[in-house]
């Protein structure tokens, strides 16, 4: 109780420890996007990227935080990394 009153005094009249504790719901939002896939592919040596393209299969990556899957085709890789 005394700690709650100290925190309430520090927060001011608009916000109390109870409004923070019970009025807010923590939310998780991942910042992953397809650009992270492109950055990862750009880090690979050109020969390895070319080998991936030659296999003819899409590259699939999964975000380890939120589980979102991303897929890019060999054609997209060629266009984005070699023709731009």
């Amino acid at each position: 109780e005394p700690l709650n009153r100290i925190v309430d005094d520090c927060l001011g009249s608009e916000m109390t420890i109870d409004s923070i504790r019970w009025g807010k719901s923590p939310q998780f939002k991942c910042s992953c996007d397809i650009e992270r896939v492109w950055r990862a592919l750009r880090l690979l040596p050109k020969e390895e990227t070319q080998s991936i393209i030659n296999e003819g299969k899409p590259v699939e990556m999964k975000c380890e935080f939120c589980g979102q899957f991303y897929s890019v085709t060999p054609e997209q890789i060629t266009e984005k990394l070699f023709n731009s």
Side-chain angles (χ1 to χ4, degrees), residues 29-44:
K29 182 177 185 263
C30 188
S31 61
C32 72
D33 62 7
I34 193 69
E35 282 306 311
R36 288 187 180 222
V37 175
W38 292 118
R39 283 194 296 271
L41 288 171
R42 283 186 190 102
L43 291 173
L44 297 175

Side-chain angles (χ1 to χ4, degrees), residues 5-66:
R5 276 183 271 151
I6 293 170
V7 172
D8 287 346
D9 288 344
C10 292
L11 292 173
S13 61
E14 302 90 36
M15 199 179 288
T16 65
I17 188 125
D18 287 329
S19 70
I20 291 173
R21 195 176 335 164
W22 308 116
K24 306 287 182 192
S25 298
Q27 295 180 347
F28 171 78
K29 182 177 185 263
C30 188
S31 61
C32 72
D33 62 7
I34 193 69
E35 282 306 311
R36 288 187 180 222
V37 175
W38 292 118
R39 283 194 296 271
L41 288 171
R42 283 186 190 102
L43 291 173
L44 297 175
K46 191 172 185 173
E47 298 79 26
E48 191 169 339
T49 306
Q50 190 60 53
S51 175
I52 291 170
I53 292 168
N54 292 342
E55 284 181 24
K57 299 177 185 173
V59 173
E60 295 181 343
M61 294 186 185
K62 177 184 173 188
C63 176
E64 294 297 320
F65 297 106
C66 70

Side-chain angles (χ1 to χ4, degrees), residues 37-38 41 49-50 52-53 57-59 72-84:
V37 175
W38 292 118
L41 288 171
T49 306
Q50 190 60 53
I52 291 170
I53 292 168
K57 299 177 185 173
V59 173
V72 293
T73 65
E75 294 80 15
Q76 290 171 314
I77 296 170
T78 299
E79 180 64 31
K80 184 100 169 174
L81 300 184
F82 294 108
N83 294 339
S84 56

